[in-house]
Amino acid sequence: MWRRFSFRRRRADALACIEFVEVVTNYLEGAMPAQEAARLEAHIGQCHGCTAYLEQMRETARLVGRLMVEDVPAGGRDRLLQAFRTWKASQA
Ligand SMILES: [Zn+2]
C-alpha cells in the first residue's frame, strides 16, 4: 500500500517538472489561474531543478525585456527535460 503510494507520488512529481517547463512562460507572465500558479509554486518549493530553471527564465526575461519561447536556446528545453529525467532516476 505504502510502496504503491510513493511510486505514484514520484510519477506525479516527475510529471510536474515536465508540466512546469511547459507552462513556465505563462507563469512568469501571470497568465495563469491563481490556483494553478499556487500548485506550481508548491512544486517549485520542493524541486531544485525547477527552482534553477525558473531563475534562469527570470534572468532571460530581465535581459531581453520579454519572455518568448523562441528566446530559449534551441534544444535547451529538450536538454532540460533530459536532465530532469536523469536527476529523477538518480533520486529513485
Ligand atoms: Zn520540478
Side-chain angles (χ1 to χ4, degrees):
M1 194 63 160
W2 273 109
R3 189 188 293 173
R4 197 157 119 205
F5 175 73
S6 63
F7 172 71
R8 289 179 58 147
R9 248 183 77 103
R10 269 205 303 277
R11 270 179 61 89
D13 286 350
L15 285 173
C17 287
I18 295 167
E19 184 186 339
F20 171 75
V21 173
E22 299 280 353
V23 301
V24 65
T25 52
N26 288 345
Y27 173 72
L28 287 174
E29 287 165 1
M32 176 182 285
Q35 193 179 356
E36 199 176 330
R39 198 164 58 84
L40 270 185
E41 279 161 4
H43 172 75
I44 294 163
Q46 61 180 359
C47 180
H48 293 299
C50 285
T51 300
Y53 185 62
L54 182 62
E55 285 308 307
Q56 189 184 329
M57 292 300 279
R58 278 193 171 131
E59 183 62 21
T60 302
R62 252 198 307 275
L63 289 173
V64 301
R66 72 195 199 290
L67 189 61
M68 304 285 284
V69 172
E70 302 89 77
D71 291 327
V72 179
R77 185 172 164 279
D78 287 343
R79 276 201 302 278
L80 178 78
L81 290 176
Q82 184 57 47
F84 274 142
R85 289 190 194 98
T86 304
W87 183 74
K88 289 293 175 188
S90 73
Q91 299 290 304

